[in-house]
Amino acid sequence: MSTLQITDLQVSVDTEDGPKEILKGVTLTIDSGETHAIMGPNGSGKSTLAYSIAGHPKYTITGGSVTLDGEDVLAMSVDERARAGLFLAMQYPVEVPGVSVANFLRTAKTAIDGEAPKLRTWVKDVNGALEKLNLDSSFSARSVNEGFSGGEKKRHEIAQLELLDPKVAILDETDSGLDIDALKVVSEGVNRFREREGKGVLLITHYTRILRYIQPDRVHVFVDGKVAESGGPELADKLEAEGYESYLGASV
Amino acid sequence: MTVTDAAAEQTADAVASALEVDHVESHLHPVSSFDLADHPMPTGREEIWRFTPLKRLAGALDDAPDDTDALTVETIGDASYVVGTLAPGQHPRGAALVPDDRASALASRHAPEAVHVRVPADTELDEPIGHRLTGAAGKRSHRHTVIEAGTHSRATYVLDHRGSGVHAGNVEVVVGDGADLTVVTLQDWDDDAVHVGTHEAVVGRDARYRHIAVTFGGSVVRTSSNVHYAGPGGDAELLGLYFADAGQHFEHRLFVDHNAPRTKSNVVYKGALQGERARTVWIGNVLIRKVAEGIETYEENRNLVLTDGCQADSVPNLEIETGEIEGAGHASATARFDDEQLFYLRSRGVSDEESRRLVLHGFFQDLIRKIGLPELEEKLTAAVEDELARNVAGKVL
C-alpha cells in the first residue's frame, strides 16, 4: 500500500522576465491500485507537474509538498526519488550515445534494487519485456534512444516501467505521436503494470484516445496550473464531446 | 615537333602552372625537408607550434642523440614481419615521410636504423603485430618505424608507448594498392613523459588505412598524424580518443592531403578533460587539391570538459581548391555534461556520479565501437573503464 500525496504544490520557472509561476497550488492523492488521468490543454502545466515531482532542476518549488508514503519527496535528489519508487515516463526521452539499452537497463535496475540483478533471470526478463512491447532482441544492443523512432522511444519507456517496477508511475504524454497499433502496445504494457499489486499511475495526456485502452479511476481537468475539475471516468467522455473550451472560458 | 605542338605544350604548361598542380601555397602544407637547418628551433610564435608548451618539452627539440638504454622495445605478436632495418634514403624509408617539423626531422636524423615492418602482398594477418616501447626516466630516445603493407594485404600494427623519458618518434606507413592496414598508437606514458611524434601515411590505390590514436598518459604528448594518397580510391579513417588529467598537455594534429581523385577521409577525435590546467589541442587540417575531384571528407572533434580549469582548443581547417567533390565537412564541439542526459539517467535511480560515468563511458564507446576489431575494442573499453574508475570515481564533479 503506497500513497503519492501532492498538496498545494506551487512551482515556478526562471524566464528572461524573471520567475514565472506555472503550478498554482495542485492537490492530488494517488493511492496504490489507482490510475489518475490528468487532462488539459497545452501550456496548462501538466508536464511541469510531472517533471517537478521527478525533480528536474529547471523547476523551482515555491510552495506546497509532495510525499510518497509520508516521505518528503521534494527533499530527495532526482535519483533518490527514483529509488524511493517514483518513475517518470518522459514525453521526449533523451539520447545517450554509446550507452547500450542493455547496459542502461542493468545499471538502472542495480541502482533501484541496491544490488545487481541475477544474470540469468535478468536477461530473460529484459528480452521478455522488450518482446511484449514489440521490440526485437537487437534493440538491447542499440544506444539509448539514439535513432529510435517516436514509437520506439515510448515503448522503451514502458519496457523500463515494467522492468524497474516502481510504486508510482507518472506517464507524461506517453500517447502523443503514437499510431493506433503502437498506442495499443504501450497501453497493454501500462495495464500489465497496473495489474501488479499496489501500483499507482498518474497518466498525463492531452487526448482522450488513450483512455479507451487505459481505464482511469479518476480524471482531473488541469487548467492554468491547477485542477479545475475532478471526477470519475465519465469526465473524460464529457471532455471528448465538449473539449476544454468551457474551462478556458471560465479561467479568463 | 610541329609549331602547333610546341604551342600546345606551352599552353599546357601555362595551364598547369595556373592550376598550381604541383605546388600549393598553404599553411596546411608546410615545407618538408630532411635537413634540420630547414626546421629551426621554434619560438612558439609559429603557426604549427603556437599551442605547444615549448618550455615543458624537456629538450625534445634539441639536436642530441639517444641516451643509452633510453628505450626498451618488445615485439607484439608475430616477430617474423619485422624484417630488418633501413638507413636514411633506403627504400621504402622516405617514400611517405619527409619531415615537416623539427621533431620529425630530429627523429629521422637520430634514428640511423629505422625498424622495417613488412606485410607481404596478399597476406592477411588475423592477429595484430607491433611494438611496445618503454621509455626510461630522464632519458632521450628517437625512433623511426617504417610499416609497409603489400598490395591486397590486411594487417593491424600496434605501437604501444609507456614508461617515461623524452621520445621523438616517426612512423612511416606505406599502404600498398588494395591493402587494408590499421595502425593503432597508444600513448599510455607516465605523468612526466614527453612525446613528440609524426605518423605519415601514403595510401595506395583503392587501399584502406585506419589510424587509431589513444592518449591517456604523459606530461606533453604531441602527435602529427598525416595522410596523403598514391592514387585514386584510397580511404583513410583517423580515429582518436584522449583523456587529459590535471597538468597534462595532449595535442593531436591531423593533416589529410587529398592529392588524388575519389579518395575518402573521415576523422573523429573525442576527448575528455579534467583537473587544473588539463589541456588538449586538436588541429584538423584537410586540403583538397584541384586534382582531387570526387573526394569525400569529414572531420569531427568533440571534447567533454569535466571540471573547471581545463582548456580544450579545437581547430578544424578545410581548404578546398575544387568544388567538384562528393562532400566536405567538419564539426567541433566542446561542452560540459548535458544536464538533460544526466537527468534522464538519474530519474532511473542512477546516482549523479554513476550517471556521469555512464555518459562518459558512452561518449568514448561511441567511438570505440567504430573500430571494428573486437579484441582491441575490448582492450580500449577496459582502458577507458580503468581511466574512469581512477579519475571519475570518488571525485565530486
Side-chain angles (χ1 to χ4, degrees):
Chain A
M1 187 69 192
S2 54
T3 302
L4 180 69
Q5 175 79 53
I6 304 162
T7 310
D8 193 28
L9 187 66
Q10 295 155 48
V11 174
S12 70
V13 290
D14 285 330
T15 69
E16 284 177 5
D17 307 322
K20 182 172 188 287
E21 192 179 29
I22 307 278
L23 297 188
K24 301 171 179 175
V26 178
T27 300
L28 283 172
T29 304
I30 293 126
D31 281 321
S32 55
E34 289 181 357
T35 295
H36 291 232
I38 292 194
M39 305 199 57
N42 290 329
S44 58
K46 305 187 300 288
S47 285
T48 298
L49 177 65
Y51 280 83
S52 301
I53 297 169
H56 195 287
K58 184 177 148 192
Y59 301 101
T60 309
I61 312 292
T62 53
S65 68
V66 178
T67 60
L68 180 64
D69 299 335
E71 298 285 328
D72 183 0
V73 169
L74 300 180
M76 298 177 195
S77 68
V78 175
D79 43 297
E80 282 170 346
R81 295 177 197 206
R83 293 197 294 274
L86 288 173
F87 178 86
L88 170 62
M90 296 192 197
Q91 189 180 357
Y92 303 110
V94 182
E95 290 181 7
V96 191
V99 176
S100 69
V101 166
N103 186 4
F104 166 67
L105 292 175
R106 190 174 46 81
T107 305
K109 185 67 175 170
T110 303
I112 297 278
D113 288 1
E115 59 177 355
K118 290 206 171 44
L119 198 60
R120 207 183 315 156
T121 52
W122 176 243
V123 171
K124 228 176 81 194
D125 290 349
V126 169
N127 288 339
L130 294 178
E131 199 179 319
K132 277 184 276 184
L133 287 155
N134 282 357
L135 296 165
D136 68 59
S137 54
S138 70
F139 193 78
S140 55
R142 294 171 67 183
S143 288
V144 171
N145 293 318
E146 192 182 43
F148 288 14
S149 69
E152 283 174 334
K153 284 182 183 170
K154 299 300 176 67
R155 284 182 277 156
H156 177 227
E157 294 290 285
I158 301 307
Q160 292 171 51
L161 169 69
E162 294 197 66
L163 288 165
L164 300 181
D165 196 30
K167 291 176 181 168
V168 177
I170 302 164
L171 311 178
D172 184 24
E173 305 211 14
T174 297
D175 54 331
S176 67
L178 293 184
D179 63 32
I180 197 72
D181 292 332
L183 181 67
K184 281 182 187 169
V185 169
V186 160
S187 299
E188 283 162 14
V190 175
N191 286 331
R192 282 193 296 272
F193 173 73
R194 292 169 71 208
E195 282 163 17
R196 295 180 193 172
E197 188 66 32
K199 304 299 182 188
V201 173
L202 184 60
L203 178 74
I204 294 172
T205 181
H206 184 77
Y207 305 102
T208 51
R209 188 178 61 149
I210 193 172
L211 303 183
R212 285 178 223 150
Y213 304 100
I214 301 171
Q215 182 77 28
D217 301 294
R218 301 283 294 162
V219 175
H220 310 279
V221 183
F222 211 70
V223 180
D224 192 28
K226 41 183 195 283
V227 176
E229 187 178 357
S230 294
E234 71 285 351
L235 186 52
D237 298 332
K238 184 187 157 197
L239 289 171
E240 168 102 38
E242 298 173 13
Y244 297 114
E245 272 168 37
S246 59
Y247 299 99
L248 291 172
S251 71
V252 169
Chain B
M1 182 188 283
T2 64
V3 174
T4 322
D5 281 349
E9 202 160 277
Q10 270 179 2
T11 312
D13 283 351
V15 169
S17 131
L19 288 173
E20 296 180 1
V21 171
D22 298 321
H23 178 68
V24 178
E25 285 296 339
S26 167
H27 76 277
L28 299 188
H29 192 242
V31 178
S32 303
S33 163
F34 283 102
D35 188 351
L36 191 61
D38 291 329
H39 304 286
M41 187 66 88
T43 63
R45 286 189 296 274
E46 299 80 0
E47 176 60 31
I48 62 167
W49 290 105
R50 68 188 177 98
F51 291 102
T52 312
L54 296 174
K55 284 182 185 148
R56 289 171 53 194
L57 286 182
L61 299 182
D62 292 348
D63 183 18
D66 278 14
D67 293 321
T68 49
D69 302 325
L71 209 58
T72 308
V73 180
E74 298 162 77
T75 308
I76 298 168
D78 191 337
S80 69
Y81 298 101
V82 184
V83 292
T85 59
L86 296 167
Q90 186 183 352
H91 189 80
R93 182 172 177 176
L97 190 155
V98 182
D100 52 23
D101 71 14
R102 185 175 175 88
S104 178
L106 283 167
S108 180
R109 175 179 163 88
H110 294 295
E113 296 189 325
V115 178
H116 187 197
V117 177
R118 194 162 66 88
V119 181
D122 302 312
T123 304
E124 300 203 352
L125 303 185
D126 291 326
E127 297 296 319
I129 55 173
H131 289 100
R132 180 174 298 119
L133 312 180
T134 307
K139 295 197 173 184
R140 176 198 312 273
S141 61
H142 301 87
R143 190 175 173 85
H144 190 114
T145 306
V146 177
I147 305 160
E148 201 185 357
T151 54
H152 297 292
S153 65
R154 183 172 57 78
T156 298
Y157 178 84
V158 178
L159 188 58
D160 185 351
H161 302 89
R162 51 184 68 190
S164 183
V166 178
H167 180 69
N170 286 341
V171 177
E172 180 165 5
V173 183
V174 180
V175 189
D177 293 350
D180 180 349
L181 179 71
T182 299
V183 171
V184 181
T185 171
L186 306 167
Q187 286 72 241
D188 200 9
W189 297 101
D190 292 344
D191 283 347
D192 60 347
V194 171
H195 177 194
V196 284
T198 297
H199 297 185
E200 180 78 54
V202 58
V203 179
R205 187 187 183 101
D206 299 324
R208 182 167 183 244
Y209 172 59
R210 309 219 303 148
H211 182 272
I212 299 159
V214 180
T215 306
F216 284 149
S219 169
V220 179
V221 176
R222 173 186 147 120
T223 59
S224 302
S225 303
N226 308 329
V227 172
H228 61 281
Y229 299 86
D235 185 348
E237 183 164 47
L238 308 173
L239 305 178
L241 65 97
Y242 47 93
F243 199 128
D245 296 323
Q248 292 180 317
H249 176 103
F250 295 163
E251 181 169 344
H252 296 96
R253 310 178 66 88
L254 298 121
F255 177 41
V256 180
D257 186 347
H258 279 282
N259 59 339
R262 295 187 307 284
T263 49
K264 281 186 187 173
S265 65
N266 183 42
V267 178
V268 185
Y269 269 63
K270 299 184 92 169
L273 298 84
Q274 159 174 276
E276 278 299 313
R277 289 177 297 104
R279 176 90 191 269
T280 64
V281 178
W282 180 84
I283 310 289
N285 291 332
V286 174
L287 173 61
I288 303 169
R289 294 177 187 253
K290 275 223 167 62
V291 67
E293 294 191 353
I295 68 100
E296 202 175 335
T297 175
Y298 192 76
E299 48 172 354
E300 177 181 347
N301 176 226
R302 297 197 182 277
N303 295 299
L304 205 46
V305 178
L306 307 184
T307 65
D308 290 337
C310 309
Q311 185 179 338
D313 288 282
S314 181
V315 187
N317 291 310
L318 187 55
E319 202 162 299
I320 306 180
E321 302 192 323
T322 175
E324 302 296 318
I325 58 171
E326 288 291 318
H330 58 227
S332 164
T334 298
R336 289 177 176 272
F337 277 112
D338 180 338
D339 287 341
E340 294 301 324
Q341 276 182 350
L342 294 180
F343 174 73
Y344 187 71
L345 295 172
R346 293 183 66 194
S347 78
R348 274 35 178 167
V350 183
S351 71
D352 187 33
E353 184 186 300
E354 184 72 16
S355 295
R356 284 166 199 266
R357 208 151 48 202
L358 204 55
V359 168
L360 256 177
H361 163 90
F363 177 75
F364 285 123
Q365 202 58 39
D366 204 32
L367 180 73
I368 291 173
R369 68 185 174 177
K370 288 194 174 84
I371 291 172
L373 302 164
E375 205 168 299
L376 181 66
E377 287 182 11
E378 272 172 42
K379 207 175 144 190
L380 287 181
T381 301
V384 166
E385 294 301 327
D386 185 46
E387 188 76 15
L388 296 186
R390 266 190 291 152
N391 293 292
V392 184
K395 281 191 187 175
V396 180
L397 297 175

